[in-house]
């Protein structure tokens, strides 16, 4: 079996984030949690993923502090998975992936899901990256700087 490369001590925040999410199943689990899934069976039905893979991904997301296990909201003996504040901070990432996918992977008029503002029932405005002074930024408008002991 090939050993998985770890990035949990990498200097790059993107690498550490990818390490925390793990793989596409984990990100789809987070997406489903934002959409209201809370129980193992709900995730399994939505994703169609094998139970052993789902179990491993849920455990990793709990261990990583992205999901928490809580007693079932209906008082039954089951438990549920809920996003932690750290998990909720993935919302812009999921929205960005959704919007990128809508732009690049669907033909005009092709059926797909859409994320709406719950109050106004309207599609969200495309995400934009802004400087501290409010200017819109693109990839050419930024650069990476090392911070901390080595970059001080």
């Amino acid at each position: 079996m090939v050993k998985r490369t770890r990035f949990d001590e990498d200097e790059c925040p993107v690498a550490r984030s990818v390490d925390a999410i793990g793989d596409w199943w984990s990100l789809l689990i987070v997406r489903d949690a934002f959409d209201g899934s809370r129980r193992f069976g709900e995730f399994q039905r939505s994703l169609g993923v094998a139970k052993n893979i789902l179990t491993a991904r849920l455990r990793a997301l709990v261990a990583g502090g992205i999901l928490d296990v809580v007693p079932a909201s209906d008082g039954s003996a089951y438990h549920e998975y809920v996003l932690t504040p750290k998990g909720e901070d993935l919302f812009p990432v999921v929205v960005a992936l959704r919007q990128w996918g809508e732009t690049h992977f669907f033909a005009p008029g092709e059926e797909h899901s859409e994320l709406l503002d719950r109050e106004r029932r309207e599609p969200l405005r495309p995400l934009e990256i802004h400087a501290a002074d409010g200017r819109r930024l693109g990839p050419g408008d930024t650069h990476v700087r090392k911070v901390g002991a080595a970059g001080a």
Side-chain angles (χ1 to χ4, degrees), residues 2 5 12 26 28 30-31 40 56-57 59 62 66 78 82 105 107 109-110 116-117 142 149:
V2 178
T5 301
C12 175
S26 298
L28 292 173
V30 170
R31 175 209 59 191
F40 185 95
R57 297 315 184 272
R59 282 185 184 149
V62 169
I66 294 167
Y78 295 101
V82 296
F105 297 107
E110 184 178 356
L116 302 177
D117 174 334
T142 64

Side-chain angles (χ1 to χ4, degrees), residues 19-151:
D19 191 72
I21 296 302
D23 62 15
W24 61 80
W25 288 124
S26 298
L27 197 52
L28 292 173
I29 290 167
V30 170
R31 175 209 59 191
D32 281 3
F34 279 120
D35 290 345
S37 293
R38 294 174 62 101
R39 292 199 179 180
F40 185 95
E42 293 171 338
F43 291 113
Q44 210 278 323
R45 278 188 297 281
S46 172
L47 298 171
V49 61
K51 291 180 180 183
N52 63 321
I53 292 173
L54 179 57
T55 298
R57 297 315 184 272
L58 286 168
R59 282 185 184 149
L61 290 167
V62 169
I66 294 167
L67 292 176
D68 201 6
V69 179
V70 299
S73 56
D74 63 5
S76 67
Y78 295 101
H79 61 268
E80 296 178 343
Y81 297 92
V82 296
L83 290 161
T84 63
K86 182 178 180 179
E88 288 180 350
D89 283 348
L90 283 167
F91 184 66
V93 174
V94 173
V95 171
L97 281 171
R98 171 181 283 283
Q99 290 180 348
W100 181 70
E102 288 173 348
T103 300
H104 297 289
F105 297 107
F106 291 89
E110 184 178 356
E111 186 175 328
H112 65 282
S113 64
E114 185 175 53
L115 188 62
L116 302 177
D117 174 334
R118 188 180 299 274
E119 181 180 322
R120 297 189 184 237
R121 304 268 188 233
E122 297 173 348
L124 305 184
R125 205 168 60 179
L127 289 179
E128 296 178 342
I129 306 301
H130 294 268
D133 65 7
R135 290 174 297 119
R136 186 169 185 250
L137 301 176
D141 301 317
T142 64
H143 75 278
V144 174
R145 173 182 63 153
K146 301 286 185 190
V147 295

